[in-house]
Amino acid sequence: PPPSIAYVILALIVEDSRMNRAILSEFLKRSGGESDTAENGKIAVDLIDEKPAGYYACILMDAQMPT
């Protein structure tokens, strides 16, 4: 059989609800992924700026963030 290739999906979860962040993080973990979290857009942008381009495979963002 061909060798298995292991990779981990790393997502950034941007969600103001602590409970929703925890649920999404756990879902990704159980699916073999990992995540960083941010409670608002400012923190998310700071995290993205700190990492190299392409670090996050995807960004999961709440569509109705408070202002």
Side-chain angles (χ1 to χ4, degrees):
S4 61
I5 299 173
Y7 62 92
V8 175
I9 298 293
L10 181 58
L12 175 58
I13 298 169
V14 187
E15 169 63 62
D16 57 309
S17 166
R18 185 179 329 169
M19 182 182 300
N20 288 346
R21 284 193 310 268
I23 291 168
L24 284 169
S25 292
E26 185 63 25
F27 177 79
L28 282 170
K29 183 178 176 183
R30 289 182 185 201
S31 299
E34 294 181 8
S35 63
D36 289 339
T37 62
E39 65 185 54
N40 62 50
K42 168 72 170 107
I43 294 171
V45 169
D46 290 345
L47 285 171
I48 292 166
D49 283 345
E50 293 172 1
K51 307 293 185 195
Y55 183 80
Y56 294 109
C58 64
I59 299 171
L60 304 173
M61 186 172 217
D62 187 341
Q64 294 183 324
M65 297 288 285
T67 55

